[in-house]
Amino acid sequence: MRIQVIAAAICLCFSAPAMAQDKATIQSLSDQFAKAFNAGDVAAIAALYTEDAVILPPGGEMAKGKSAIQAFWKGAAEQLGDGKLTTVDVKPLGSEAAREIGTFTFRTKGAQPQEITGKYVVVWEKVGGDWKLATDIWNTNK
């Protein structure tokens, strides 16, 4: 019995890093992204990505690296606002990565704003003690 308790404790210690990949933690990171986007803080958005991250926007070329990603989001923030990201599912991929599936809404800027809705898949990677976006792909529902 004593060995089983020790074995269980060891398993819990080694699985602790995976606990950071829970839905609430990832939703909090997505909220940080939306807050930065809505404030037009593209430097804060870029800081949420790994150095070699890749985004794959719909109908556009992929962008790799923080500077290219920051430039992309700068252009997007000029056209969109009121962003909201909702984490639907999180799947740990080992202790250093996780896959998130979610939905988004944004509102176009201009005289006649329109709501844009869609879905996304991202891969989060642990860099030091922080979770960062490594791969980001999305598309609209229309």
Side-chain angles (χ1 to χ4, degrees):
M1 179 70 166
R2 181 184 224 179
I3 292 175
Q4 291 171 333
V5 171
I6 292 170
I10 290 170
C11 288
L12 285 174
C13 288
F14 285 113
S15 67
M19 298 258 199
Q21 302 156 330
D22 66 12
K23 190 174 176 181
T25 300
I26 298 298
Q27 180 64 62
S28 176
L29 292 164
S30 294
D31 291 344
Q32 287 177 35
F33 184 103
K35 182 178 178 182
F37 183 85
N38 292 335
D41 189 350
V42 294
I45 293 170
L48 292 169
Y49 286 88
T50 64
E51 291 298 326
D52 62 347
V54 177
I55 63 170
L56 301 109
E61 296 295 318
M62 75 174 94
K64 185 173 183 178
K66 282 189 178 186
S67 61
I69 290 169
Q70 184 169 334
F72 174 86
W73 287 118
K74 182 180 185 305
E78 292 169 357
Q79 299 173 39
L80 301 171
D82 297 327
K84 182 176 184 208
L85 304 173
T86 303
T87 301
V88 174
D89 184 58
V90 175
K91 179 180 181 179
L93 305 172
S95 63
E96 302 294 314
R99 183 267 297 139
E100 175 193 6
I101 294 174
T103 60
F104 66 81
T105 61
F106 289 95
R107 187 163 294 286
T108 60
K109 294 180 178 179
Q112 297 179 338
Q114 296 179 345
E115 186 173 81
I116 298 173
T117 61
K119 59 264 181 202
Y120 63 88
V121 175
V122 297
V123 175
W124 293 91
E125 289 182 3
K126 193 138 190 202
V127 178
D130 298 322
W131 287 97
K132 302 281 185 178
L133 290 158
T135 307
D136 190 353
I137 186 169
W138 64 95
N139 61 34
T140 60
N141 289 342
K142 293 182 182 179

